[in-house]
Amino acid sequence: MAIIIDDENRIFTLQTQNTTYQMKADTQNVLLHTYYGEKTDHSDKSLLIYRADRGFSGNPYEIGKRDRTYSLDSLPQEYSSFGTGDYRITSLRVQNQDGSQAAELRYAGYRVQKGKYDIPGLPAAYAQNEEAETLIIRLADAYSGLEAELYYGILEEMDIITRAVKITNYGKEDVILNKAASMNLDWEYGDFEWISFYGRHSMEMNFQREKIHHGIQAIGSVRGSSSHQYNPFAIVCEKGSNETMGSCYGFSFVYSGEFLIEAEKDQLDRTRLICGIHPDNFSWKLQNGDMLWLPEVIMTHSSSGTGKLSRNLHKVIREHICRGKWKNSRCPILINNWEATYFKFNGEKLTEIAKQAKQLGIELFALDDGWFGNREDDSSGLGDWFANEKKLGCTLKELAERITAEGMQFGIWLEPEGISEDSDLYRRHPDWAVGIPGRKACLSRCQWILDFSRKDVQDYIIERISKLLDGIPVSYVKWDCNRAICDKFSRLLDSGRQGEFAHRYVLGLYRVLEELTEKFPEILFEGCGGGGGRFDAGMLYYMPQSWGSDTTDAIERLSIQYGASFGYPVSAMGTHVSTSPNHQTGRAVPLSTRGCVAMAGTFGYELDISTLTQEEKAEVKEQISRFKKYYELIQYGEYYRISSPYEGTCTVWEIADPSGREAMVSAVYHHAQANPAPVRVKVQGLKDEAGYQLFLNEDLKEKYPGRRLPYGFGSGEVLSGAALKQFGFVVPEAINGFQAWQIHIKECQPVIETGGRCV
Ligand code: DGJ
């Protein structure tokens, strides 16, 4: 049983396989947070909360004369509110009709549901009824009639607890929500650090680990989408914890819009974390009977470091966020023409790329930007989702048919949220572009954004894109969005509701995505936000993969993919092999390294094949067959970060089959050194008792004959799982700059029976 309720003492304990979460409604009807962490029993943990009279931390009226140790400013709470005695960061800030900013949320009951709740209009983890349970706790403000229902979804086997909130105004007067977070988590004690992922366009997901100090630390976005600058995901971990040891907590916000994740260490060394929609661009009016759902946060805890935490998140995203046919089918290996041609192409050129790609084993041709409207560069045409037949030299249907006749599937790039000033759509509907009447709206990449908060705009896009996709044999769509949003305003919202725009935009986008993905269940959709500008669990609910970054440099990708691996599975990371020297950095990287790095993702190509030598073409063919051979292992295996791109000479990661029968270790030398120290890999996820052989990727072995390889790579040499775990093996030295090795580890006979030899 995942939910244990002690009705007499009003204690709610949520149990997963390895974790426990507990809350208690106390004598004042405040819902206390009493525990989250390693699995324990369901006894009352509130007894461990230490209370003392704290000067300047006031007491609720009902208890203030009797007990000055009871203060909302120091008690760990489940959902805190602003204005009534808690001076820390809080989850809810409201404005009542009289202008006061106060809410006192008190326990008002609970109910339990079989299965996992879902959220109308918002992405959320889903599960079969027997896989999950839901607890709903009601909190109410007796003064205003405002209620918050706290939803907890428990996926017991996965060590996952999800949280979401539904706010309803049962009062007669309007209430404005000025801040409404999805979760609040208080730690009564502990010395914590937090890990977050910052970046910029073409350099997303940089890892950052900092001490949680006294004061407030925050990451977030006010850019309309989750953003390149900060990912809506954070880890709070015990000081001293690492990949394999120590307590850590993960929080993944299932939302693609503006967000804020804040941490505060307070006067009593207690830590509070709050995650939700960013309040800076948010206010929401609730009239009598109105309600608002706040997006979901996926939480997990690991007692054995961040490695296990990431694997929990990979699994829940792969199995309970991603949906549809492509969740479990092998995605086609694609070639995208963007870095091959940019805007300079015609139908013939594209068909030629597709033809040559087919010969190498590539399965899908994706036509990127520039095929529609008057789009010769990025300054015009967005919004006109009609083929530029003059440029293509044929209709889009004819082009798609030509390409499919070559035995390739056909895919297409779209940016349905974008609108250019120089477009027929803008000339017809200037009021559909986001902007404030009377002001000139800021341009970015020479474009604006359509007002997706409007139903008429959503309907138009659904209809236009449906007609387009219906008319061609299409198997893949890349859904791009190439700017952040400012000048936020919708002409259809009255002045008192403009603060609702940013969230309504995201709700509109989700509606469009839901309808289109439902209408076209066979199409593989890939999200893209000008690279990794909208790489979040919310988008993965509609599209199982997302283009990771506009940098395709394999060495830069090491840190981007390293960062992403903390919260997202390999199957979600859009990766391509591009040309060398790389277009973004000018760096030359061997083809084998580019292949190795792209294989830690969806894997595809983005270069002009006609420029490849025969030798390179043979290598591409080999890479494709290797990727296909190890597809299941790579996409569905358990991911281990062995060494980081920020340290040492070599970035190493491992993907192990959950059964422990095989694993793939990828090692990329990111820093060339003379006389380098050996790079040792301690392999995880194998069976101690079994014997394993190590195989280098064959193409590389053949290229470097006569090299002295470390023990384990000779034919017939066997290492036990225990030895590989404790002593590991040494990665062969780098021969070229940025050398990569892929090492396949395969079980053979049990070591004990064969005396160390594989027979
Ligand atoms: C940004 C994407 O990330 C690129 O891959 C490419 O599709 C361009 N947009 C096209 O404009």
Side-chain angles (χ1 to χ4, degrees):
M1 259 239 294
I3 302 175
I4 301 165
I5 296 173
D6 172 349
D7 278 308
E8 204 186 326
N9 297 302
R10 305 194 300 180
I11 298 171
F12 305 88
T13 308
L14 315 180
Q15 296 286 18
T16 73
Q17 209 175 15
N18 300 294
T19 72
T20 300
Y21 189 101
Q22 196 188 71
M23 300 157 267
K24 176 178 178 164
D26 73 4
T27 52
Q28 302 306 303
N29 290 323
V30 168
L31 186 63
L32 300 176
H33 174 76
T34 57
Y35 182 78
Y36 185 29
E38 188 167 359
K39 191 158 191 167
T40 180
D41 58 41
H42 55 275
S43 61
D44 184 356
K45 306 290 176 298
S46 73
L47 302 171
L48 301 174
I49 298 172
Y50 181 73
R51 278 170 34 194
D53 180 358
R54 307 286 178 186
F56 290 85
S57 290
N59 322 106
Y61 183 80
E62 302 76 19
I63 198 170
K65 286 188 190 145
R66 276 182 289 126
D67 182 357
R68 284 167 47 163
T69 72
Y70 189 99
S71 174
L72 293 179
D73 199 28
S74 56
L75 282 167
Q77 291 169 66
E78 201 49 34
Y79 197 67
S80 54
S81 49
F82 179 86
T84 49
D86 189 341
Y87 297 98
R88 296 169 285 183
I89 50 173
T90 43
S91 26
L92 185 73
R93 190 169 67 238
V94 306
Q95 186 177 321
N96 301 302
Q97 199 149 295
D98 61 7
S100 62
Q101 296 197 51
E104 274 175 63
L105 292 175
R106 296 291 179 266
Y107 176 75
Y110 78 90
R111 60 188 198 277
V112 171
Q113 263 170 223
K114 226 178 154 21
K116 164 77 176 53
Y117 64 89
D118 51 19
I119 310 183
L122 279 168
Y126 61 91
Q128 303 288 337
N129 266 355
E130 57 284 1
E131 289 173 318
E133 279 181 67
T134 296
L135 168 67
I136 303 151
I137 299 190
R138 246 176 68 228
L139 305 178
D141 176 34
Y143 296 91
S144 65
L146 195 73
E147 283 200 13
E149 284 186 310
L150 310 184
Y151 279 71
Y152 298 84
I154 302 107
L155 281 86
E156 188 174 358
E157 293 300 309
M158 317 200 88
D159 287 332
I160 294 290
I161 297 175
T162 66
R163 289 183 64 173
V165 180
K166 186 166 98 181
I167 310 252
T168 310
N169 182 7
Y170 290 107
K172 288 200 181 72
E173 298 186 338
D174 296 356
V175 174
I176 296 171
L177 308 178
N178 283 326
K179 180 180 186 187
S182 297
M183 62 154 287
N184 176 126
L185 190 65
D186 281 355
W187 287 268
E188 169 72 1
Y189 62 92
D191 206 356
F192 294 110
E193 294 170 351
W194 78 331
I195 299 174
S196 59
F197 302 89
Y198 71 94
R200 57 186 183 273
H201 174 237
S202 290
M203 200 55 228
E204 301 83 347
M205 295 281 192
N206 296 284
F207 173 93
Q208 167 169 267
R209 182 169 179 153
E210 297 164 295
K211 180 180 165 61
I212 299 187
H213 52 66
H214 287 97
I216 300 167
Q217 285 147 282
I219 56 165
S221 162
V222 288
R223 294 166 183 267
S225 63
S226 48
S227 90
H228 302 83
Q229 283 70 17
Y230 295 101
N231 195 264
F233 165 59
I235 297 171
V236 172
C237 46
E238 204 174 53
K239 191 174 164 191
S241 60
N242 59 25
E243 279 291 332
T244 53
M245 275 167 34
S247 179
C248 46
Y249 303 80
F251 307 92
S252 186
F253 198 24
V254 190
Y255 188 59
S256 313
E258 306 188 348
F259 74 96
L260 182 68
I261 306 180
E262 321 162 79
E264 178 173 6
K265 187 166 181 172
D266 73 6
Q267 55 176 350
L268 301 168
D269 295 347
R270 290 165 177 155
T271 300
R272 169 172 285 179
L273 186 97
I274 288 187
C275 172
I277 294 177
H278 203 303
D280 278 8
N281 265 323
F282 174 84
S283 69
W284 199 280
K285 193 200 271 184
L286 294 178
Q287 295 176 320
N288 171 264
D290 287 353
M291 60 100 173
L292 179 70
W293 271 98
L294 305 172
E296 177 164 289
V297 181
I298 295 177
M299 306 193 301
T300 191
H301 171 265
S302 150
S303 307
S304 40
T306 43
K308 174 73 169 63
L309 175 140
S310 295
R311 289 187 288 282
N312 290 350
L313 290 171
H314 295 171
K315 205 157 189 249
V316 72
I317 288 183
R318 236 169 23 213
E319 295 177 14
H320 295 275
I321 287 284
C322 296
R323 302 177 295 169
K325 168 178 172 180
W326 296 101
K327 168 178 164 178
N328 292 320
S329 326
R330 184 173 75 71
C331 299
I333 294 169
L334 65 82
I335 184 151
N336 177 302
N337 72 303
W338 179 242
E339 287 199 20
T341 64
Y342 297 102
F343 289 104
K344 301 266 166 290
F345 57 78
N346 56 29
E348 235 169 77
K349 171 80 188 161
L350 301 174
T351 315
E352 192 48 37
I353 295 177
K355 228 187 209 171
Q356 293 193 18
K358 165 78 186 160
Q359 285 162 13
L360 304 185
I362 295 174
E363 299 158 318
L364 185 144
F365 171 80
L367 170 54
D368 211 279
D369 196 354
W371 58 267
F372 53 91
N374 164 32
R375 182 99 168 148
E376 292 305 334
D377 56 33
D378 60 14
S379 67
S380 58
L382 282 180
D384 297 340
W385 301 110
F386 301 90
N388 183 341
E389 294 176 6
K390 203 165 143 229
K391 177 172 180 176
L392 295 179
C394 58
T395 66
L396 187 62
K397 185 161 184 259
E398 280 162 354
L399 176 71
E401 283 173 354
R402 243 183 257 159
I403 285 171
T404 49
E406 295 293 339
M408 289 282 274
Q409 297 167 54
F410 181 75
I412 198 156
W413 177 97
L414 298 169
E415 188 179 348
E417 296 153 81
I419 182 164
S420 305
E421 188 170 19
D422 181 4
S423 68
D424 292 341
L425 188 67
Y426 183 73
R427 284 182 278 274
R428 274 205 320 276
H429 296 286
D431 56 323
W432 282 10
V434 174
I436 305 167
R439 291 177 189 259
K440 290 269 176 237
C442 161
L443 288 167
S444 182
R445 209 195 189 202
C446 238
Q447 71 182 70
W448 292 312
I449 287 287
L450 278 175
D451 181 355
F452 262 46
S453 74
R454 293 172 62 144
K455 185 161 180 304
D456 54 351
V457 172
Q458 298 162 24
D459 289 343
Y460 171 78
I461 289 294
I462 292 169
E463 197 201 327
R464 179 80 291 270
I465 302 300
S466 300
K467 271 203 183 125
L468 178 83
L469 299 179
D470 263 334
I472 44 171
V474 61
S475 309
Y476 162 92
V477 165
K478 177 175 171 187
W479 186 290
D480 205 348
C481 183
N482 280 296
R483 66 158 292 174
I485 313 178
C486 58
D487 302 293
K488 289 174 194 137
F489 188 88
S490 177
R491 287 171 167 84
L492 296 196
L493 291 172
D494 67 39
S495 60
R497 288 194 180 269
Q498 290 298 334
E500 299 176 12
F501 169 79
H503 182 52
R504 286 188 185 275
Y505 180 95
V506 179
L507 293 176
L509 171 66
Y510 286 154
R511 179 187 160 229
V512 171
L513 293 177
E514 182 70 33
E515 295 225 1
L516 287 174
T517 50
E518 213 170 78
K519 253 189 189 161
F520 300 97
E522 297 295 316
I523 293 181
L524 169 61
F525 282 83
E526 173 159 359
C528 177
R534 208 158 49 187
F535 198 105
D536 55 65
M539 288 309 271
L540 292 172
Y541 182 75
Y542 302 97
M543 314 185 182
Q545 61 194 57
S546 194
W547 181 228
S549 176
D550 271 355
T551 184
T552 53
D553 179 322
I555 301 305
E556 295 297 275
R557 276 294 188 123
L558 287 177
S559 48
I560 295 170
Q561 292 172 200
Y562 172 80
S565 78
F566 280 84
Y568 305 94
V570 159
S571 56
M573 170 53 69
T575 52
H576 296 166
V577 173
S578 65
T579 197
S580 176
N582 178 265
H583 285 185
Q584 294 82 40
T585 62
R587 179 170 14 217
V589 175
L591 180 54
S592 54
T593 303
R594 286 176 272 148
C596 171
V597 175
M599 281 192 212
T602 56
F603 193 65
Y605 289 82
E606 187 164 334
L607 42 73
D608 186 351
I609 293 190
S610 64
T611 62
L612 296 181
T613 62
Q614 285 311 318
E615 208 189 2
E616 285 172 327
K617 283 186 178 163
E619 192 170 338
V620 167
K621 264 190 184 166
E622 193 282 326
Q623 285 179 351
I624 289 170
S625 63
R626 183 156 20 112
F627 183 70
K628 284 184 186 161
K629 182 168 165 196
Y630 296 118
Y631 185 84
E632 302 272 314
L633 174 62
I634 293 173
Q635 300 290 308
Y636 309 124
E638 309 234 296
Y639 191 93
Y640 297 86
R641 287 174 296 272
I642 308 285
S643 66
S644 123
Y646 296 101
E647 291 158 12
T649 55
C650 194
T651 308
V652 184
W653 64 95
E654 177 203 337
I655 304 177
D657 185 81
S659 70
R661 265 183 247 130
E662 61 173 335
M664 176 74 87
V665 171
S666 303
V668 179
Y669 283 94
H670 57 257
H671 182 169
Q673 274 189 339
N675 192 19
V679 174
R680 185 171 288 276
V681 172
K682 292 187 177 179
V683 188
Q684 299 179 54
L686 301 181
K687 297 182 277 185
D688 282 359
E689 306 291 289
Y692 294 88
Q693 280 191 294
L694 312 183
F695 301 93
L696 269 190
N697 38 332
E698 289 306 312
D699 60 325
L700 290 177
K701 213 168 168 184
E702 277 163 23
K703 265 194 188 163
Y704 309 108
R707 276 265 160 185
R708 213 183 129 255
L709 290 169
Y711 184 80
F713 292 96
S715 56
E717 289 170 5
V718 177
L719 288 156
S720 70
L724 281 166
K725 181 168 80 184
Q726 277 143 14
F727 307 111
F729 68 86
V730 171
V731 177
E733 276 174 31
I735 295 156
N736 292 322
F738 307 122
Q739 170 96 44
W741 299 107
Q742 272 182 330
I743 296 137
H744 185 224
I745 303 176
K746 203 166 184 275
E747 182 183 3
C748 52
Q749 299 283 324
V751 147
I752 294 132
E753 285 170 29
T754 59
R757 285 260 137 218
C758 203
V759 283

